[in-house]
Amino acid sequence: MFDLIVVGAGLAGLSLARRAAALGLETVVLEARTRVGGRVLGHRTGAGTYDLGPAWVWPTLQPRIATLAASAGLTLTVQMEAGGFIYQDAAGRTQPLASGFPQEPPSMRIVGGITALVEALAAHLPPGTLRLGHVVHRVELAASHLIVTAATDDGPLSLRTARVALAVPPRLIGRIEIQPALPGSIASALAGIPGWMANQAKALALYDRPVWRASGLSGSAFSQAGPLGEIHDASLTGAAEESALFGFFAWPASLRAARRTELADRVAQQLGSLFGPDAARPRDIVIQDWAREPFTASDADLAAGTTHPDYRAISLPAPWGDRILLAGSEVAPEFGGYLEGALAAAEAARLE
Ligand SMILES: Cc1cc2nc3c(=O)[nH]c(=O)nc-3n(C[C@H](O)[C@H](O)[C@H](O)COP(=O)(O)OP(=O)(O)OC[C@H]3O[C@@H](n4cnc5c(N)ncnc54)[C@H](O)[C@@H]3O)c2cc1C
């Protein structure tokens, strides 16, 4: 029997598992995907790793991320914003501006990508803690313990544990059969919490050289025309042989789905219209659509807006709350929805 089963190996679940291991708790992490990281995902090339999920941290405001990155020996670098900025209106007309909107504090990136953070956490878990490809679909409160059941390639697996931590976006908890069932008010409260950025998609365009810089541009742009709404330089520190831009899609999930086969071409065309003809010919375009990821987005997320929700800490009432902990970023006591929130939620989960 385990002391703790963590459901989800995103930043929150991994951080919680590390905390539990440090307390000497017999812990296992059950992760549905065949990789760790959840919304943290990197695209690797010979030059390094690009972030297809979260890319930015603000270490002066976010002490947990700052400490974790430092303890993993990772270097932070300021998001490249130097140079001209392009505004594109809904008709596709572009207007160059001397500079963009300076951010204070500036957004920082992690050299090696945010994946380097989750990999550092995963690497320091006791051997055997992580079990990938385990889709948890049932949690049953028995008299003195819980029974957690997961679907695996080898068939269903049931494990006994004293506690469970659900380190998943709250809406996905509705897919897990909890016995006895949660009160309707709690279930609908969880169903009402959007997964942050779960309906988003990112495009990454790779180039042999930073063609936008030759004309004094930073690579940053805001567009009302789409398909991308906000674009930035994604080039890696010290990788002279490759440069990159990334953009968040302005097109909603439904439009992206309807035009899936033309997305890459439309992105290339738009980059050309913003940064000149050479920018329309990237070496490669990678599109990561989080709305298509069943272990990130629920159907309700697909329609959600882009305003940051007012996330807050939630715990379950007795008898569930004594043994089923909620630990994903969206239920963090602060910085909910962000990477810092994932660490804050893991820190706040009552293990003792
Ligand atoms: C495009 C994008 C850009 C973002 N940009 C930023 C940024 O710049 N800065 C920032 O701070 N934040 C950003 N975020 C938010 C950030 O990614 C999240 O706050 C953080 O990754 C959440 O971590 P988590 O561990 O709480 O959840 P997740 O990363 O979602 O992890 C949950 C895990 O649970 C697993 N899971 C789900 N259901 C089950 C199940 N039934 N059984 C087993 N496992 C299950 C999933 O596979 C996943 O691995 C961004 C997110 C996206 C999508």
Side-chain angles (χ1 to χ4, degrees), residues 5-246:
I5 291 182
V6 178
V7 181
L11 185 60
L14 292 171
S15 172
L16 182 57
R18 183 181 71 165
R19 225 188 107 208
L23 290 170
L25 301 180
E26 192 69 32
T27 304
V28 69
V29 181
L30 302 181
E31 166 55 48
R33 290 175 163 107
T34 52
R35 61 170 181 84
V36 297
R39 276 169 275 180
V40 174
L41 177 65
H43 175 72
R44 288 177 215 276
T45 71
T49 303
Y50 297 91
D51 291 305
L52 297 176
W56 292 328
V57 296
W58 296 272
T60 53
L61 303 174
Q62 301 180 326
R64 299 170 189 86
I65 284 284
T67 304
L68 181 59
S71 67
L74 299 171
T75 309
L76 300 183
T77 175
V78 177
Q79 169 63 42
M80 228 305 271
E81 295 288 357
F85 171 92
I86 305 281
Y87 171 75
Q88 184 172 45
D89 69 16
R93 289 178 296 244
T94 57
Q95 184 187 350
L97 303 169
S99 65
F101 302 107
Q103 292 181 8
E104 192 47 50
S107 304
M108 308 283 290
R109 288 175 15 200
I110 292 180
V111 177
I114 307 287
T115 43
L117 264 191
V118 292
E119 281 162 7
L121 275 175
H124 288 97
L125 292 177
T129 304
L130 267 176
R131 299 201 192 172
L132 304 179
H134 284 57
V135 182
V136 171
H137 60 83
R138 185 178 157 91
V139 175
E140 182 186 343
L141 269 72
S144 60
H145 59 274
L146 295 132
I147 302 167
V148 175
T149 308
T152 77
D153 279 351
D154 300 325
L157 173 79
S158 290
L159 299 172
R160 295 195 313 153
T161 180
R163 279 188 195 163
V164 173
L166 302 175
V168 304
R171 278 182 172 155
L172 301 193
I173 294 173
R175 293 191 197 146
I176 300 174
E177 181 193 352
I178 296 179
Q179 278 301 335
L182 295 174
S185 58
I186 301 282
S188 55
L190 294 174
I193 304 174
W196 179 232
M197 307 285 274
N199 61 349
Q200 261 293 343
K202 259 186 172 184
L204 172 74
L206 299 171
Y207 298 88
D208 295 338
R209 59 199 167 81
V211 291
W212 50 98
R213 285 190 207 150
S215 17
L217 297 173
S218 61
S220 296
F222 277 166
S223 170
Q224 307 280 354
L228 302 179
E230 182 182 337
I231 297 145
H232 297 273
D233 191 314
S235 306
L236 303 174
T237 307
E241 74 280 19
E242 191 171 86
S243 298
L245 295 171
F246 86 87

